[in-house]
Structure formats: C-alpha cells, structure tokens
C-alpha cells in the first residue's frame, strides 16, 4: 500500500476495520462504484491525475458523487469546478436533480451557490412545481430565502414558506388556520424555525400583513408581531426587532432555460 491511498479517509477507515483473509489480504467491496469509475479513482490516488475531457456529463457528475462518498475531497472539488465552468448547459438541463443532490450535504457548496445564483432569477418555476417544492430540502429553501437578490415579492416568499411548512405537517392541510389549535401553530413554527428569521416582514405592505401574515401570526414571536403591527400603522415608528433591508431587484428581463 502506498502513502497516497491514505489520502482517502474512507479507504483508511475500511482498511483499519477489515480483517485479513487466510492469504493475508484485505478486501474492500465497493458495490456502488463501477469499474470505469474505479479506474479513474485509482489513477487519481496513485498519480494525482483526473482526465475528464472524453467523458459524458452524467458519468462525470456520478463520479463526483462517488468521490465524495470515498472522502476524496480534492477530487470532488476538482470535478465540481469542472462541471460549473465547462458543463453549464448540462447542469441547467438537469437542474432538478443537480439542485437536490447538491443540497444533500455541505460538500458541494460551489454547486449550491451556482444553483442559487440561477434560482434567484427563476425561483417561481421551482415553487410552481408542486411536487418538487413539497420535497425541497430545508437547507435549500433557507439558503435561497436568505439571498438579498431573490427576485420575488416578500409576501410571496412568506406564502411559499407557509405552504412548505404545512407540507411538512400533512395534518395541517385539512383545515385553515382559523380552526387550528395551539399545537398546530407550534408544529408549523417548529417546521419553519430556520426560515422565519429571513423573512423581511417590514418590507411588506399593511394589506399584505393583514391578509397573509396575520392568520399565521401565532408562529411569530410576540415582540416581533407587535413590532410588525406598529410599523404597519406607522412606518416611521421605532421598533426593537431586526429590520432586514429590501431585496435587490434586477430590472433585466430574464429568459429561462430551466427544465
């Protein structure tokens, strides 16, 4: 065994816990790695070389996922960078899968940023796809609504996170909030605890507050709700709650290539 194979924490751990057979050999089974993928990985481990030029995009993307599973961080980052810089059209054509996979862990942060750079312009299309929206991972939703340049009205963002939170608690969808118990509101509040701090309540109109936020105000901290109502009546009234700046809207007309 050479020193280079120890660059993979996965192999190091597997070798440490695997017993030798009667021929003094340790065997590691990689059932999820194809022969073609393994050949590239071995060349990288022993030679530090990754050749992607003649490989198709699905193979390259799956190779990145395998490299991540094997804790080959440098290889993972190299392939991720290659996809973003050289395979943008393919990433867009497979956007739903790319978005989902990139947010399943924090390893693919560059892909996460690439996805959000795209979604801030075309978020409506993600949220209008009901099934994809309901299964949206929390970290993906939070990272998007945190963006200053998300091209959506604040009241629509609020309505979206409410729908997402209800989708995580199916028993809440059988009736409107006027019939909910305190336990129902608490369930929604818990589901949205990481989303609520990023809504820009003080950028909504008084009508939007009354029509859209007020029915669910029990999921907000009392001090925040009191401040929201104060500012709805008098926009110049000082409050103790954090006031996020308005979103930055781009007046450029975007044409979507989202699939």
């Amino acid at each position: 065994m050479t020193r280079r194979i120890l660059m993979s924490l996965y192999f190091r751990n597997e070798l440490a816990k695997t017993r030798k057979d009667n021929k003094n050999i340790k065997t590691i089974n990689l059932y999820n790695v194809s022969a073609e993928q393994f050949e590239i990985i071995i060349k990288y481990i022993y030679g530090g070389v990754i050749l992607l030029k003649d490989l198709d995009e699905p193979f390259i993307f799956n190779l990145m996922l395998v490299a991540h599973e094997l804790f080959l961080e440098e290889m993972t980052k190299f392939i991720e960078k290659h996809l973003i810089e050289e395979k943008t059209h393919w990433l867009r054509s497979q956007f739903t899968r790319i978005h989902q996979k990139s947010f399943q862990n924090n390893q693919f942060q560059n892909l996460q940023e690439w996805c959000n750079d795209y979604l801030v312009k075309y978020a409506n299309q993600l949220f209008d796809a009901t099934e994809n929206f309901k299964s949206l991972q929390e970290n993906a939703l939070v990272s998007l609504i945190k963006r200053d340049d998300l091209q959506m009205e604040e009241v629509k963002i609020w309505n979206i996170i409410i729908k997402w939170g209800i989708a995580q608690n199916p028993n809440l969808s059988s009736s409107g909030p006027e019939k909910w118990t305190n336990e129902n509101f608490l369930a929604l509040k818990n589901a949205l605890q990481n989303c609520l701090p990023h809504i820009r309540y003080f950028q909504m109109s008084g009508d939007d507050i009354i029509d859209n936020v007020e029915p669910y105000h029990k999921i907000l901290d009392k001090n925040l709700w009191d401040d929201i109502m104060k500012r709805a009546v008098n926009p110049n009234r000082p409050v103790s709650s954090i006031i996020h700046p308005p979103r930055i809207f781009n007046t450029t007309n975007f044409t979507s290539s989202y699939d």
Side-chain angles (χ1 to χ4, degrees), residues 167-184:
Q168 312 314 303
N169 295 273
N171 59 309
L172 298 181
S173 61
S174 59
S175 61
E178 66 279 357
K179 296 182 180 180
W180 286 0
T181 64
N182 288 335
E183 289 74 18
N184 293 146

Side-chain angles (χ1 to χ4, degrees), residues 229-241:
M229 292 305 294
K230 290 175 185 176
R231 288 297 290 263
V233 174
N234 181 0
N236 297 316
R237 185 164 182 170
V239 294
S240 60
S241 298

Side-chain angles (χ1 to χ4, degrees), residues 155-173:
V155 66
K156 185 165 185 178
I157 299 172
W158 166 263
N159 288 333
I160 282 167
I161 71 158
I162 292 295
K163 289 179 182 178
W164 183 87
I166 291 174
Q168 312 314 303
N169 295 273
N171 59 309
L172 298 181
S173 61

Side-chain angles (χ1 to χ4, degrees), residues 96 126 129-137 258:
T96 299
L126 173 67
T130 304
E131 293 306 315
N132 291 338
F133 168 64
K134 287 182 178 179
S135 61
L136 189 64
Q137 293 145 241
Y258 175 90

Side-chain angles (χ1 to χ4, degrees), residues 80-97:
E80 182 185 31
K81 184 173 184 288
H82 173 80
L83 287 168
I84 292 172
E85 294 182 354
E86 305 294 335
K87 305 296 181 180
T88 300
H89 180 75
W90 182 81
L91 290 176
R92 288 179 177 174
S93 72
Q94 303 295 317
F95 187 84
T96 299
R97 179 170 184 249

Side-chain angles (χ1 to χ4, degrees), residues 14-78:
E14 289 297 308
L15 288 169
K17 69 183 183 182
T18 301
R19 292 173 177 263
K20 295 179 180 179
D21 62 17
N22 56 8
K23 295 182 179 180
N24 203 34
I25 295 174
K26 291 186 175 185
T27 301
I28 300 175
N29 294 313
L30 301 174
Y31 296 109
N32 62 331
V33 182
S34 71
E36 293 83 1
Q37 291 170 338
F38 187 68
E39 182 179 358
I40 294 172
I41 289 168
I42 287 298
K43 286 181 179 179
Y44 166 71
I45 289 175
Y46 284 97
V49 176
I50 311 173
L51 300 177
L52 303 175
K53 182 179 179 181
D54 297 323
L55 302 176
D56 63 31
E57 292 88 348
F59 183 92
I60 295 172
F61 183 74
N62 289 328
L63 180 64
M64 181 190 71
L65 299 180
V66 169
H68 166 66
E69 291 177 8
L70 299 180
F71 302 129
L72 295 167
E73 182 177 351
E74 184 181 9
M75 182 178 186
T76 301
K77 291 297 183 185
F78 178 87

Side-chain angles (χ1 to χ4, degrees), residues 120-122 149 151 248-256:
V120 292
K121 306 170 187 176
Y122 310 121
D149 53 348
Q151 304 295 292
I248 302 170
F249 287 96
N250 192 326
T251 57
T252 304
N253 291 322
F254 297 107
T255 57
S256 172

